[in-house]
Short mmCIF file of all heavy atoms in Angstrom, two decimals:
data_model
loop_
_atom_site.label_atom_id
_atom_site.label_comp_id
_atom_site.label_asym_id
_atom_site.label_seq_id
_atom_site.Cartn_x
_atom_site.Cartn_y
_atom_site.Cartn_z
N GLN A 109 -75.57 -45.83 3.27
CA GLN A 109 -76.83 -45.27 2.84
C GLN A 109 -77.42 -44.39 3.93
O GLN A 109 -77.08 -44.53 5.11
CB GLN A 109 -77.82 -46.39 2.51
CG GLN A 109 -77.45 -47.11 1.21
CD GLN A 109 -78.63 -47.89 0.69
OE1 GLN A 109 -79.26 -48.63 1.44
NE2 GLN A 109 -78.95 -47.72 -0.58
N HIS A 111 -80.66 -43.59 5.85
CA HIS A 111 -81.96 -44.18 6.17
C HIS A 111 -82.92 -43.10 6.65
O HIS A 111 -82.56 -42.29 7.50
CB HIS A 111 -81.81 -45.25 7.25
CG HIS A 111 -80.95 -46.40 6.80
ND1 HIS A 111 -81.47 -47.56 6.32
CD2 HIS A 111 -79.60 -46.51 6.70
CE1 HIS A 111 -80.49 -48.37 5.95
NE2 HIS A 111 -79.34 -47.76 6.17
N PRO A 119 -90.85 -45.67 4.65
CA PRO A 119 -89.45 -45.55 5.05
C PRO A 119 -88.54 -46.12 3.98
O PRO A 119 -88.89 -47.12 3.34
CB PRO A 119 -89.37 -46.38 6.34
CG PRO A 119 -90.64 -47.14 6.44
CD PRO A 119 -91.65 -46.50 5.56
N ALA A 125 -76.79 -42.29 -5.79
CA ALA A 125 -77.57 -42.27 -7.03
C ALA A 125 -79.02 -41.87 -6.80
O ALA A 125 -79.60 -41.11 -7.59
CB ALA A 125 -77.51 -43.65 -7.71
N VAL A 137 -73.32 -25.41 -2.56
CA VAL A 137 -73.72 -25.19 -1.16
C VAL A 137 -73.24 -23.83 -0.63
O VAL A 137 -73.93 -23.19 0.18
CB VAL A 137 -73.17 -26.34 -0.27
CG1 VAL A 137 -73.26 -26.00 1.20
CG2 VAL A 137 -73.93 -27.63 -0.57
N LEU A 140 -75.59 -20.88 -0.28
CA LEU A 140 -76.52 -20.86 0.85
C LEU A 140 -75.78 -20.74 2.18
O LEU A 140 -76.26 -20.13 3.12
CB LEU A 140 -77.33 -22.17 0.90
CG LEU A 140 -78.49 -22.35 -0.07
CD1 LEU A 140 -79.10 -23.73 0.12
CD2 LEU A 140 -79.54 -21.28 0.18
N LEU A 151 -83.72 -31.09 2.10
CA LEU A 151 -84.36 -32.05 3.00
C LEU A 151 -85.80 -32.30 2.53
O LEU A 151 -86.27 -33.45 2.53
CB LEU A 151 -84.36 -31.50 4.43
CG LEU A 151 -85.18 -32.28 5.45
CD1 LEU A 151 -84.58 -33.67 5.68
CD2 LEU A 151 -85.29 -31.53 6.77
N GLU A 183 -90.47 -28.29 11.91
CA GLU A 183 -90.85 -26.99 11.36
C GLU A 183 -89.66 -26.02 11.27
O GLU A 183 -89.61 -25.18 10.38
CB GLU A 183 -91.90 -26.41 12.30
CG GLU A 183 -92.78 -25.37 11.71
CD GLU A 183 -93.69 -24.81 12.80
OE1 GLU A 183 -93.24 -23.93 13.56
OE2 GLU A 183 -94.81 -25.32 12.89
N ASN A 195 -67.60 -32.47 -6.55
CA ASN A 195 -67.04 -32.77 -7.87
C ASN A 195 -67.65 -34.05 -8.46
O ASN A 195 -66.95 -34.91 -8.99
CB ASN A 195 -65.50 -32.91 -7.81
CG ASN A 195 -64.85 -31.58 -7.51
OD1 ASN A 195 -65.41 -30.52 -7.77
ND2 ASN A 195 -63.65 -31.64 -6.96
N LEU A 199 -69.46 -36.96 -1.20
CA LEU A 199 -68.85 -35.95 -0.32
C LEU A 199 -67.85 -36.65 0.61
O LEU A 199 -68.20 -37.60 1.30
CB LEU A 199 -69.94 -35.26 0.52
CG LEU A 199 -69.50 -34.04 1.33
CD1 LEU A 199 -69.28 -32.84 0.41
CD2 LEU A 199 -70.53 -33.70 2.40
N CYS A 217 -73.82 -22.03 18.03
CA CYS A 217 -73.98 -23.07 19.05
C CYS A 217 -74.61 -22.48 20.31
O CYS A 217 -74.22 -21.40 20.76
CB CYS A 217 -72.62 -23.68 19.40
SG CYS A 217 -71.85 -24.50 18.00
N VAL A 219 -77.45 -21.14 20.94
CA VAL A 219 -78.39 -20.01 20.88
C VAL A 219 -79.71 -20.59 20.38
O VAL A 219 -79.92 -20.77 19.21
CB VAL A 219 -77.88 -18.91 19.92
CG1 VAL A 219 -78.83 -17.73 19.92
CG2 VAL A 219 -76.48 -18.48 20.31
N VAL A 222 -82.55 -24.71 18.00
CA VAL A 222 -81.93 -25.13 16.75
C VAL A 222 -80.68 -24.30 16.54
O VAL A 222 -80.75 -23.08 16.43
CB VAL A 222 -82.91 -24.92 15.58
CG1 VAL A 222 -82.29 -25.37 14.28
CG2 VAL A 222 -84.20 -25.69 15.84
N ALA A 224 -76.13 -24.46 15.31
CA ALA A 224 -75.14 -25.07 14.42
C ALA A 224 -74.70 -26.46 14.87
O ALA A 224 -74.19 -27.24 14.07
CB ALA A 224 -73.92 -24.15 14.30
N ASN A 227 -75.98 -29.42 12.83
CA ASN A 227 -75.46 -29.68 11.48
C ASN A 227 -74.69 -31.01 11.51
O ASN A 227 -73.47 -31.03 11.53
CB ASN A 227 -74.55 -28.54 11.03
CG ASN A 227 -75.32 -27.30 10.64
OD1 ASN A 227 -76.50 -27.37 10.31
ND2 ASN A 227 -74.66 -26.17 10.66
N ASP A 243 -80.95 -36.59 21.69
CA ASP A 243 -80.22 -35.36 21.40
C ASP A 243 -79.00 -35.29 22.31
O ASP A 243 -79.14 -35.13 23.52
CB ASP A 243 -81.14 -34.16 21.65
CG ASP A 243 -80.63 -32.87 21.03
OD1 ASP A 243 -79.39 -32.75 20.88
OD2 ASP A 243 -81.46 -32.01 20.70
#
Side-chain angles (χ1 to χ4, degrees):
Q109 288 198 311
H111 297 262
V137 166
L140 282 178
L151 171 66
E183 202 185 82
N195 292 336
L199 189 74
C217 297
V219 182
V222 181
N227 284 338
D243 196 332

